Amino acid sequence: LVATDFSIDGNNAVRRAALLAHERGARLHILHVVKAAGCKALRDWFSPTLDVDLRTAQARGALQRVAVEITGAYDVTPAIEVLVGDPCETLLRASERADLVVLGRRGRGRISSLLVGGTADRLLRTCRRPVLVVRTPVEQSYRRVFVPIDFSVSSDAAIRVAAQMRREAGMQVFHAINSHRDAVLRDADVPEHIIRETRL
């Protein structure tokens, strides 16, 4: 599942998801969410559904153009969908049917995202599926995968997803030892050999 708001980062996310789907032989679902709350001003002047319907139709047309580009460039035929609602909540519901959720780091609503946390940040905290946040244009397949771990259940899941995504790429697993813990043990006069054993 990839979400786009047609921003540069959103379109980069679509291309990355298409490349991954092509490499893995996976199905690709492209979703755009029309924010109903953003349509309130026009509702006061026109029919309650006029602006939502117009924006939904425009988004569907834009998604169809994206689908044509993706099919030609990545040999993947995506399913497209436009939904109305809160972007984060709508993506969370849609993610229940996905193996991986892909989205851009920043979308069009940059001011509001600074105030309340952007959709990507909210989704990273709440989604139960692996989330790939795309920050750069797609030039080629991933060549190196870097996986920081803390030995938690989430770390185990991150390694499994990274291993599935990497294909021919090399994978480096990384763990940083918390030096603050060593300092606390030294302050408590714990012998140095015990501190070393704890670190190992």
Side-chain angles (χ1 to χ4, degrees):
L1 170 68
V2 59
T4 183
D5 60 357
F6 308 114
S7 63
I8 292 171
D9 283 0
N11 291 336
N12 287 338
V14 170
R15 292 181 186 106
R16 175 58 66 188
L19 179 57
L20 287 170
H22 173 75
E23 292 172 343
R24 305 297 304 167
R27 288 180 311 214
L28 179 64
H29 185 137
I30 307 174
L31 174 65
H32 175 77
V33 181
V34 174
K35 287 174 66 172
C39 307
K40 186 178 187 313
L42 285 181
R43 269 194 223 123
D44 295 339
W45 292 95
F46 301 108
S47 156
T49 62
L50 177 65
D51 191 46
V52 174
D53 291 345
L54 177 61
R55 290 175 59 193
T56 300
Q58 289 172 334
R60 191 167 289 109
L63 277 184
Q64 287 169 345
R65 289 189 293 277
V66 168
V68 168
E69 175 202 334
I70 292 305
T71 301
Y74 298 98
D75 194 27
V76 173
T77 304
I80 61 170
E81 185 175 22
V82 177
L83 297 173
V84 177
D86 174 76
C88 189
E89 292 172 12
T90 305
L91 278 169
L92 277 174
R93 282 193 301 276
S95 72
E96 293 171 4
R97 305 181 308 267
D99 296 311
L100 176 69
V101 178
V102 183
L103 64 158
R105 177 68 185 99
R106 298 177 70 179
R108 294 186 183 279
R110 297 183 180 194
I111 302 289
S112 62
S113 70
L114 291 174
L115 299 175
V116 296
T119 300
D121 296 327
R122 290 172 59 198
L123 209 63
L124 283 169
R125 288 193 305 271
T126 56
C127 189
R128 294 187 176 274
R129 297 288 188 259
V131 177
L132 174 63
V133 179
V134 177
R135 300 178 67 138
T136 58
V138 177
E139 296 174 357
Q140 58 191 352
S141 300
Y142 288 128
R143 291 174 299 182
R144 294 183 303 276
V145 179
F146 182 72
V147 189
I149 63 166
D150 61 2
F151 304 108
S152 65
V153 173
S154 296
S155 289
D156 293 344
I159 289 174
R160 283 194 301 274
V161 170
Q164 290 174 353
M165 287 177 57
R166 71 188 178 120
R167 283 282 181 167
E168 303 300 320
M171 182 168 73
Q172 180 179 358
V173 180
F174 173 84
H175 174 74
I177 295 171
N178 187 344
S179 60
H180 176 70
R181 187 182 307 152
D182 287 4
V184 170
L185 294 174
R186 283 194 184 89
D187 287 346
D189 292 328
V190 173
E192 191 65 33
H193 73 279
I194 293 177
I195 295 173
R196 279 197 304 273
E197 287 174 14
T198 303
R199 188 184 306 137
L200 289 172

